[in-house]
Amino acid sequence: MTLNILHLYPKEMNLYGDHGNILAIKRRCEWRGIKTNIIHYEPGDEIPDDIDIIFGGGGQDSGQGKIEADLQKIAPKLKDFVERETPTLVICGIYQLFGHYFETSEGKKIEGTKILNLKTVAGDTRLIGNITISTPEFGEVVGYENHSGLTYLGEDMQAFGTVITGAGNNGKDMTEGVKYKNCIGTYLHGPLLPKNPRVTDFLILKALENKTGKSQKLEVLNDHIEQRAHKVAVSRPR
Ligand code: GLN
């Protein structure tokens, strides 16, 4: 079995180790004898129909501006994947653009895909530092955030987690990220997945279940090193 992983805009949207998320998915698949095929999507490319996992990372405001027009073109296809429960992880810059829009500190509105009911407006100061959150599905999740955007979730949206230390969506309401169907949006870079293997395994498991149409069990891996990395990250000061 081969899982097709769509990596959105790796050139413009790839900050603070985001590419490591792709490596983590690939490795945890390989360790279980599951093959992966990484599709690097850049503006103008075709998106194949048989995508099993979608990933998009963070980027500077200018990078978000560069992909805006292309993202509008592929938005219906991405929405269709998310609505059909395709496991999806979008971080920071692409997380913001999975919502309605991101308004930069210069007042420029970058249109989003509107897949997620949320909007983002730049604040006066950047929210930077290590962050730990508590999530209902994956327990404690740890990462690093660096964003000017303040994200506000629509009433029908559920947060990915609650902030323990750090700022999260907007530094005010203690929410962090969003979880809609099998789509996780979050501000956590770092990269996120190597230090939070339960999140990685969620993406892989859902992909396998969608592909086979049957419930699946993942082979348990020795996560000793991942757990250590997690612990060290949690213990770091903000
Ligand atoms: N440019 C966006 C912001 O500053 C996203 C940053 C990021 O992806 N780290 O909010």
Side-chain angles (χ1 to χ4, degrees), residues 15-16 58-61 64 92-93 96 102 126 146-149 189:
L15 288 179
Y16 317 116
Q60 294 174 356
D61 296 5
Q64 290 171 289
C92 207
Q96 295 171 342
F102 168 44
R126 293 195 75 79
N146 185 347
H147 52 110
S148 70
H189 297 278

PDB file of all heavy atoms in Angstrom, residues 15-16 58-61 64 92-93 96 102 126 146-149 189, ligand 1:
ATOM      1  N   LEU A  15       8.306  27.068   7.112  1.00  0.00           N
ATOM      2  CA  LEU A  15       9.078  27.788   8.143  1.00  0.00           C
ATOM      3  C   LEU A  15       9.365  26.896   9.346  1.00  0.00           C
ATOM      4  O   LEU A  15       8.605  25.972   9.626  1.00  0.00           O
ATOM      5  CB  LEU A  15       8.281  28.991   8.647  1.00  0.00           C
ATOM      6  CG  LEU A  15       8.123  30.202   7.729  1.00  0.00           C
ATOM      7  CD1 LEU A  15       7.282  31.259   8.442  1.00  0.00           C
ATOM      8  CD2 LEU A  15       9.454  30.793   7.328  1.00  0.00           C
ATOM      9  N   TYR A  16      10.420  27.236  10.081  1.00  0.00           N
ATOM     10  CA  TYR A  16      10.709  26.627  11.385  1.00  0.00           C
ATOM     11  C   TYR A  16      10.562  25.112  11.376  1.00  0.00           C
ATOM     12  O   TYR A  16       9.894  24.521  12.229  1.00  0.00           O
ATOM     13  CB  TYR A  16       9.825  27.237  12.480  1.00  0.00           C
ATOM     14  CG  TYR A  16       9.712  28.729  12.380  1.00  0.00           C
ATOM     15  CD1 TYR A  16       8.493  29.339  12.124  1.00  0.00           C
ATOM     16  CD2 TYR A  16      10.850  29.532  12.495  1.00  0.00           C
ATOM     17  CE1 TYR A  16       8.398  30.710  11.992  1.00  0.00           C
ATOM     18  CE2 TYR A  16      10.757  30.897  12.367  1.00  0.00           C
ATOM     19  CZ  TYR A  16       9.537  31.482  12.109  1.00  0.00           C
ATOM     20  OH  TYR A  16       9.435  32.834  11.970  1.00  0.00           O
ATOM     21  N   GLY A  58       3.920  26.907   7.210  1.00  0.00           N
ATOM     22  CA  GLY A  58       3.824  28.344   7.456  1.00  0.00           C
ATOM     23  C   GLY A  58       4.640  29.151   6.464  1.00  0.00           C
ATOM     24  O   GLY A  58       5.477  28.609   5.734  1.00  0.00           O
ATOM     25  N   GLY A  59       4.390  30.448   6.438  1.00  0.00           N
ATOM     26  CA  GLY A  59       5.138  31.302   5.522  1.00  0.00           C
ATOM     27  C   GLY A  59       5.037  32.755   5.929  1.00  0.00           C
ATOM     28  O   GLY A  59       4.197  33.130   6.758  1.00  0.00           O
ATOM     29  N   GLN A  60       5.907  33.541   5.344  1.00  0.00           N
ATOM     30  CA  GLN A  60       5.855  34.979   5.607  1.00  0.00           C
ATOM     31  C   GLN A  60       4.635  35.567   4.913  1.00  0.00           C
ATOM     32  O   GLN A  60       4.106  34.971   3.969  1.00  0.00           O
ATOM     33  CB  GLN A  60       7.123  35.625   5.070  1.00  0.00           C
ATOM     34  CG  GLN A  60       8.333  35.147   5.829  1.00  0.00           C
ATOM     35  CD  GLN A  60       9.622  35.651   5.232  1.00  0.00           C
ATOM     36  OE1 GLN A  60       9.629  36.306   4.197  1.00  0.00           O
ATOM     37  NE2 GLN A  60      10.714  35.328   5.880  1.00  0.00           N
ATOM     38  N   ASP A  61       4.252  36.777   5.345  1.00  0.00           N
ATOM     39  CA  ASP A  61       3.100  37.437   4.712  1.00  0.00           C
ATOM     40  C   ASP A  61       3.315  37.507   3.193  1.00  0.00           C
ATOM     41  O   ASP A  61       2.390  37.268   2.415  1.00  0.00           O
ATOM     42  CB  ASP A  61       2.936  38.878   5.237  1.00  0.00           C
ATOM     43  CG  ASP A  61       2.627  38.914   6.726  1.00  0.00           C
ATOM     44  OD1 ASP A  61       2.633  37.851   7.377  1.00  0.00           O
ATOM     45  OD2 ASP A  61       2.367  40.028   7.233  1.00  0.00           O
ATOM     46  N   GLN A  64       2.618  34.256   1.558  1.00  0.00           N
ATOM     47  CA  GLN A  64       1.176  34.008   1.512  1.00  0.00           C
ATOM     48  C   GLN A  64       0.547  34.790   0.347  1.00  0.00           C
ATOM     49  O   GLN A  64      -0.339  34.279  -0.334  1.00  0.00           O
ATOM     50  CB  GLN A  64       0.524  34.411   2.841  1.00  0.00           C
ATOM     51  CG  GLN A  64       0.901  33.469   3.987  1.00  0.00           C
ATOM     52  CD  GLN A  64       0.426  34.016   5.335  1.00  0.00           C
ATOM     53  OE1 GLN A  64       0.945  34.997   5.850  1.00  0.00           O
ATOM     54  NE2 GLN A  64      -0.571  33.379   5.923  1.00  0.00           N
ATOM     55  N   CYS A  92       0.087  27.362  10.652  1.00  0.00           N
ATOM     56  CA  CYS A  92       0.330  28.797  10.618  1.00  0.00           C
ATOM     57  C   CYS A  92      -0.124  29.472   9.313  1.00  0.00           C
ATOM     58  O   CYS A  92      -1.313  29.705   9.158  1.00  0.00           O
ATOM     59  CB  CYS A  92       1.788  29.076  10.938  1.00  0.00           C
ATOM     60  SG  CYS A  92       2.025  30.707  11.654  1.00  0.00           S
ATOM     61  N   GLY A  93       0.770  29.746   8.390  1.00  0.00           N
ATOM     62  CA  GLY A  93       0.400  30.481   7.181  1.00  0.00           C
ATOM     63  C   GLY A  93      -0.716  29.813   6.389  1.00  0.00           C
ATOM     64  O   GLY A  93      -1.672  30.467   5.943  1.00  0.00           O
ATOM     65  N   GLN A  96      -4.016  29.781   8.423  1.00  0.00           N
ATOM     66  CA  GLN A  96      -4.746  31.048   8.278  1.00  0.00           C
ATOM     67  C   GLN A  96      -5.515  31.087   6.954  1.00  0.00           C
ATOM     68  O   GLN A  96      -6.660  31.519   6.902  1.00  0.00           O
ATOM     69  CB  GLN A  96      -3.761  32.226   8.329  1.00  0.00           C
ATOM     70  CG  GLN A  96      -3.066  32.385   9.670  1.00  0.00           C
ATOM     71  CD  GLN A  96      -1.939  33.403   9.638  1.00  0.00           C
ATOM     72  OE1 GLN A  96      -1.432  33.779   8.566  1.00  0.00           O
ATOM     73  NE2 GLN A  96      -1.515  33.854  10.807  1.00  0.00           N
ATOM     74  N   PHE A 102      -6.659  36.437   5.700  1.00  0.00           N
ATOM     75  CA  PHE A 102      -5.654  36.943   6.644  1.00  0.00           C
ATOM     76  C   PHE A 102      -5.406  38.399   6.280  1.00  0.00           C
ATOM     77  O   PHE A 102      -4.989  38.693   5.154  1.00  0.00           O
ATOM     78  CB  PHE A 102      -4.363  36.124   6.532  1.00  0.00           C
ATOM     79  CG  PHE A 102      -3.179  36.742   7.261  1.00  0.00           C
ATOM     80  CD1 PHE A 102      -3.315  37.273   8.532  1.00  0.00           C
ATOM     81  CD2 PHE A 102      -1.919  36.762   6.670  1.00  0.00           C
ATOM     82  CE1 PHE A 102      -2.231  37.835   9.203  1.00  0.00           C
ATOM     83  CE2 PHE A 102      -0.823  37.308   7.334  1.00  0.00           C
ATOM     84  CZ  PHE A 102      -0.990  37.856   8.603  1.00  0.00           C
ATOM     85  N   ARG A 126       4.224  40.480  17.422  1.00  0.00           N
ATOM     86  CA  ARG A 126       4.294  39.081  17.009  1.00  0.00           C
ATOM     87  C   ARG A 126       4.215  38.199  18.249  1.00  0.00           C
ATOM     88  O   ARG A 126       4.753  38.534  19.306  1.00  0.00           O
ATOM     89  CB  ARG A 126       5.600  38.795  16.266  1.00  0.00           C
ATOM     90  CG  ARG A 126       5.711  39.481  14.930  1.00  0.00           C
ATOM     91  CD  ARG A 126       6.839  38.872  14.108  1.00  0.00           C
ATOM     92  NE  ARG A 126       6.488  37.572  13.566  1.00  0.00           N
ATOM     93  CZ  ARG A 126       5.730  37.388  12.484  1.00  0.00           C
ATOM     94  NH1 ARG A 126       5.257  38.411  11.826  1.00  0.00           N
ATOM     95  NH2 ARG A 126       5.462  36.175  12.058  1.00  0.00           N
ATOM     96  N   ASN A 146       5.228  31.507  15.963  1.00  0.00           N
ATOM     97  CA  ASN A 146       5.760  32.815  15.562  1.00  0.00           C
ATOM     98  C   ASN A 146       4.823  33.402  14.515  1.00  0.00           C
ATOM     99  O   ASN A 146       4.914  33.079  13.338  1.00  0.00           O
ATOM    100  CB  ASN A 146       7.171  32.661  14.989  1.00  0.00           C
ATOM    101  CG  ASN A 146       7.792  34.015  14.671  1.00  0.00           C
ATOM    102  OD1 ASN A 146       7.105  35.048  14.643  1.00  0.00           O
ATOM    103  ND2 ASN A 146       9.090  34.024  14.410  1.00  0.00           N
ATOM    104  N   HIS A 147       3.890  34.219  14.991  1.00  0.00           N
ATOM    105  CA  HIS A 147       2.907  34.780  14.060  1.00  0.00           C
ATOM    106  C   HIS A 147       2.439  36.154  14.508  1.00  0.00           C
ATOM    107  O   HIS A 147       2.402  36.443  15.705  1.00  0.00           O
ATOM    108  CB  HIS A 147       1.706  33.832  13.924  1.00  0.00           C
ATOM    109  CG  HIS A 147       1.068  33.404  15.226  1.00  0.00           C
ATOM    110  ND1 HIS A 147      -0.168  33.836  15.623  1.00  0.00           N
ATOM    111  CD2 HIS A 147       1.486  32.567  16.211  1.00  0.00           C
ATOM    112  CE1 HIS A 147      -0.482  33.283  16.793  1.00  0.00           C
ATOM    113  NE2 HIS A 147       0.510  32.507  17.183  1.00  0.00           N
ATOM    114  N   SER A 148       2.065  36.970  13.532  1.00  0.00           N
ATOM    115  CA  SER A 148       1.446  38.261  13.857  1.00  0.00           C
ATOM    116  C   SER A 148      -0.066  38.093  13.859  1.00  0.00           C
ATOM    117  O   SER A 148      -0.788  38.810  14.530  1.00  0.00           O
ATOM    118  CB  SER A 148       1.839  39.314  12.815  1.00  0.00           C
ATOM    119  OG  SER A 148       1.200  39.025  11.578  1.00  0.00           O
ATOM    120  N   GLY A 149      -0.539  37.119  13.087  1.00  0.00           N
ATOM    121  CA  GLY A 149      -1.977  36.936  12.914  1.00  0.00           C
ATOM    122  C   GLY A 149      -2.670  36.494  14.187  1.00  0.00           C
ATOM    123  O   GLY A 149      -2.167  35.637  14.920  1.00  0.00           O
ATOM    124  N   HIS A 189       4.700  25.143  14.989  1.00  0.00           N
ATOM    125  CA  HIS A 189       5.826  24.697  14.165  1.00  0.00           C
ATOM    126  C   HIS A 189       6.728  23.844  15.053  1.00  0.00           C
ATOM    127  O   HIS A 189       6.349  23.469  16.157  1.00  0.00           O
ATOM    128  CB  HIS A 189       6.660  25.895  13.703  1.00  0.00           C
ATOM    129  CG  HIS A 189       5.961  26.871  12.838  1.00  0.00           C
ATOM    130  ND1 HIS A 189       5.803  26.682  11.488  1.00  0.00           N
ATOM    131  CD2 HIS A 189       5.411  28.088  13.104  1.00  0.00           C
ATOM    132  CE1 HIS A 189       5.189  27.737  10.971  1.00  0.00           C
ATOM    133  NE2 HIS A 189       4.937  28.594  11.922  1.00  0.00           N
TER     134      HIS A 189
HETATM  135  N1  GLN B   1       2.666  35.501   8.068  1.00  0.00           N
HETATM  136  C1  GLN B   1       1.775  34.934   9.031  1.00  0.00           C
HETATM  137  C2  GLN B   1       1.787  35.665  10.353  1.00  0.00           C
HETATM  138  O1  GLN B   1       2.746  36.326  10.661  1.00  0.00           O
HETATM  139  C3  GLN B   1       2.092  33.474   9.212  1.00  0.00           C
HETATM  140  C4  GLN B   1       3.406  33.234   9.922  1.00  0.00           C
HETATM  141  C5  GLN B   1       3.833  31.795   9.955  1.00  0.00           C
HETATM  142  O2  GLN B   1       3.434  30.979   9.128  1.00  0.00           O
HETATM  143  N2  GLN B   1       4.710  31.463  10.879  1.00  0.00           N
HETATM  144  O3  GLN B   1       0.851  35.568  11.099  1.00  0.00           O
END
